[in-house]
Amino acid sequence: MHRTDLIPIGELAARTGVAVSAIRFYEAKGLVEALRTRGGQRRFLRADIRRVSFILIAQQLGLSLEEIAAELARLPAGRTPNGADWTRISTALRARIDGQIAAHERTRELLGTCIGCGCLSLKKCGLYNAQDKAAQRGAGPRYVLGDRAGEIAEVD
């Protein structure tokens, strides 16, 4: 490994926009691994810029640190991840992203109409949830979670 392959923690922070303290936190959680100089200073692989960037994106998608660690563990140790490595991870996340997009679209479609009707009550709503029939499918905002009014049987 060449000296130019290693960068100090401050440079990693500057390149990713992440605070040095956050990088230390990621290191403590095992998401990135620092090499130490003889003087004890942290040095990171230049490839860790991509790893930290992935952590930021994954957090915005709502992945927990444990889920992020599991995905990063799929990357090779001791070498810079290549395109195939990142494709493998991105493919695994695609279904999650698609599900989030669908949930946001349902929320956009339903939320304005539901609040717009003025009743603000799932028990009294004659438009989307007459006789509270959505409760048959379980707790929570059933229609935003993906259930459709026509799929839920009428309450007897």
Side-chain angles (χ1 to χ4, degrees):
M1 182 176 321
H2 299 284
R3 185 179 171 142
T4 57
D5 293 337
L6 299 176
I7 58 175
I9 193 169
E11 185 175 340
L12 181 59
R15 292 288 306 275
T16 59
V18 174
V20 169
S21 59
I23 294 171
R24 287 189 194 115
F25 175 77
Y26 296 154
E27 181 185 9
K29 294 293 183 181
L31 302 176
V32 293
E33 184 178 347
L35 304 170
R36 297 291 183 147
T37 66
R38 289 183 195 183
Q41 295 178 337
R42 290 175 172 87
R43 295 290 186 262
F44 292 88
L45 294 174
R46 191 166 295 281
D48 286 329
I49 294 169
R50 288 188 191 102
R51 289 177 193 260
V52 172
S53 296
F54 172 78
I55 294 166
L56 292 173
I57 292 165
Q59 286 178 315
Q60 288 181 357
L61 291 173
L63 272 70
S64 68
L65 290 179
E66 293 78 18
E67 291 171 310
I68 294 169
E71 291 299 328
L72 289 173
R74 297 172 53 184
L75 293 175
R79 76 164 169 82
T80 300
N82 60 31
D85 298 320
W86 288 112
T87 297
R88 196 170 49 251
I89 286 179
S90 66
T91 300
L93 294 177
R94 186 172 302 276
R96 183 180 186 131
I97 293 168
D98 290 344
Q100 288 178 331
I101 290 170
H104 286 299
E105 288 173 346
R106 283 191 303 273
T107 301
R108 182 185 61 217
E109 292 168 12
L110 298 173
L111 193 59
T113 304
C114 185
I115 290 175
C117 77
C119 75
L120 300 177
S121 169
L122 291 178
K123 290 185 178 182
K124 295 178 184 175
C125 182
L127 182 62
Y128 284 114
N129 193 27
Q131 291 87 42
D132 197 23
K133 60 187 174 189
Q136 298 171 36
R137 293 283 177 104
R142 301 312 314 164
Y143 298 135
V144 173
L145 294 173
D147 292 338
R148 296 284 181 214
E151 298 171 347
I152 298 175
E154 293 293 327
V155 177
D156 294 332

